């Protein structure tokens, strides 16, 4: 199972196109299982490089309003962890696009570490981000991921001091995730794009061989600033688009797809 090597190839392909890789974040099962699958397909067809799938629980730290709405919709629709694995597995039958799961430690624990990884393998998940499981406490689980060709993606924060940054990067797998802002996600960018890029450059200076994803708070207005980084995530804007589509009785998959095409174009221009 060479899952994780495909994830690295996704970043390398973007680099060959002289642009950052585009990652999308949506909540698995939002607004329901069938629509969620069609949203994934639409995202892939619209040119996203990697799909980040939120596996949420009720009290999501770091989630802005738009993502909380999406999580609430999925959970109140009765979405379970297995449903999300089924959506991913179904999606991967027809699409090569890599899928990363973003989740919480208690979700993994409740499922059982070994079983969770088995499911990731059978549904062809390429990577795992765990929002509330910090380094070095996550190292045992990270090792299990690596043994199963799944990239465990360490988080780096604006407040991480340089020594800790070096230690985390030293232990990290091939891909890391820089959370670009401290306020809850998806609000107006509190930090300037320049500040984020300065931090990104420091991470790359310490660890040039690691791919660094810039997450949280990137919109159509700011995405162009990140063209020359490794990768960036758009999440809240897409979750808001799903909400808007539902409110206006439009097709969420079509609208999210259009938004992704637009974002991809901005990164490529």
């Amino acid at each position: 199972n060479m899952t994780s090597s495909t994830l690295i190839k996704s970043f390398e392909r973007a680099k060959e196109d002289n642009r950052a890789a585009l990652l999308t974040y949506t909540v698995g099962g939002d607004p329901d299982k069938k629509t969620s699958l069609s949203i994934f397909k639409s995202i892939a067809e619209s040119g996203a490089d990697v799909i980040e799938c939120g596996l949420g629980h009720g009290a999501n730290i770091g989630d802005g309003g738009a993502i909380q709405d999406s999580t609430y919709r999925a959970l109140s629709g009765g979405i379970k962890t297995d449903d999300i694995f089924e959506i991913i597995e179904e999606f991967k039958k027809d699409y090569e696009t890599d899928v990363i799961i973003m989740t919480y430690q208690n979700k993994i624990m409740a499922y059982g570490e070994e079983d969770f990884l088995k499911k990731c393998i059978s549904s062809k998940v390429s990577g795992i981000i765990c929002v509330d499981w910090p380094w070095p406490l996550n190292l045992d689980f990270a090792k299990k991921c690596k043994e199963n060709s799944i990239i465990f993606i360490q988080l780096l924060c604006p407040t991480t001091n340089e020594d800790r940054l070096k230690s985390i990067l030293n232990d990290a797998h091939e891909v890391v995730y820089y959370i670009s802002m401290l306020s809850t996600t998806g609000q107006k960018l509190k930090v300037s794009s320049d500040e984020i890029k300065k931090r990104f450059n420091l991470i790359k200076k310490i660890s040039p061989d690691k791919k660094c994803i810039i997450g949280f708070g990137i919109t159509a207005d700011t995405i162009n600033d990140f063209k020359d980084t490794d990768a960036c995530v758009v999440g809240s804007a897409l979750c808001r688009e799903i909400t808007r589509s539902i409110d206006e009785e439009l097709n969420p998959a079509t609208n999210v797809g259009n938004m992704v095409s637009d974002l991809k174009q901005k990164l490529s221009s």
Side-chain angles (χ1 to χ4, degrees), residues 13 35 70 84-85 111 124 157 184 190 195 224-225 260:
R13 267 199 307 276
T35 313
S70 291
I84 292 174
F85 281 123
Y111 203 91
K124 298 193 166 66
C157 304
T184 51
K190 299 284 189 291
E195 282 175 80
N224 217 4
D225 299 341
V260 172

Side-chain angles (χ1 to χ4, degrees), residues 25-27 30-31 39 43 63-71 73 181 183-190 216-222 233-253 255-257 259 263:
Y25 173 89
T26 52
V27 172
D30 176 35
I39 288 170
I43 287 170
D63 283 353
I67 293 173
Q68 280 171 350
D69 290 346
S70 291
T71 304
R73 267 197 305 269
M181 53 197 269
S183 74
T184 51
T185 55
Q187 307 308 313
K188 276 273 175 267
L189 212 51
K190 299 284 189 291
F216 289 29
I218 293 170
T219 62
D221 298 335
T222 55
V233 184
V234 177
S236 297
L238 298 179
C239 295
R240 269 196 297 277
E241 190 58 20
I242 295 171
T243 301
R244 187 185 74 84
S245 302
I246 291 166
D247 290 346
E248 298 180 17
E249 294 180 15
L250 303 166
N251 183 333
N255 290 341
V256 166
M259 194 178 249
L263 292 161

Side-chain angles (χ1 to χ4, degrees), residues 15-86:
K15 198 174 170 60
E16 281 160 21
D17 290 346
N18 293 314
R19 60 173 179 83
L22 174 61
L23 282 77
T24 59
Y25 173 89
T26 52
V27 172
D30 176 35
D32 57 62
K33 207 169 164 179
K34 187 166 157 276
T35 313
S36 186
L37 176 60
S38 61
I39 288 170
F40 275 20
K41 290 177 174 179
S42 180
I43 287 170
E45 283 162 21
S46 304
D49 298 288
V50 178
I51 290 176
E52 213 178 282
C53 171
L55 177 53
H57 62 62
N60 286 353
I61 52 166
D63 283 353
I67 293 173
Q68 280 171 350
D69 290 346
S70 291
T71 304
Y72 177 76
R73 267 197 305 269
L75 292 176
S76 59
I79 289 289
K80 304 273 183 286
T81 301
D82 277 343
D83 293 318
I84 292 174
F85 281 123
E86 279 164 28

